[in-house]
Amino acid sequence: MPIYEYRCKKCKETFEVFHRSISEKLEIICPMCGSKRTGKLMSRFGGKFGNTSSSSCSSCSATSCSTT
């Protein structure tokens, strides 16, 4: 159940729309001004890449900063 981000081409408002499925076709209307002139945005995502097990702490040789 994806959530897509849209921007209104009239008032420039950015908003999210929940879709029940990827193939669902919805008429997207701006919640601020009611315009149907909207466009889907490329969403940003967060994540950590690379080796996550190496130590970034210079005071010890442990591979994690666990307190236990």
Side-chain angles (χ1 to χ4, degrees):
M1 294 187 218
I3 298 174
Y4 292 104
E5 193 171 27
Y6 291 86
R7 174 168 286 143
C8 178
K9 294 178 182 178
K10 183 178 178 184
C11 72
K12 308 297 185 217
E13 176 72 15
T14 300
F15 57 96
E16 295 176 342
V17 176
F18 171 77
H19 290 258
R20 294 184 194 275
S21 72
I22 293 172
S23 62
E24 180 181 28
K25 301 295 181 196
L26 295 176
E27 182 177 48
I28 308 302
I29 299 172
C30 176
M32 291 297 287
C33 72
S35 175
K36 294 179 184 177
R37 294 178 40 219
T38 60
K40 191 185 292 187
L41 299 176
M42 293 291 288
S43 296
R44 293 179 283 168
F45 63 93
K48 190 169 185 177
F49 295 98
N51 186 358
T52 60
S53 65
S54 65
S55 175
S56 61
C57 179
S58 62
S59 65
C60 68
S61 61
T63 58
S64 69
C65 292
S66 176
T67 59
T68 57

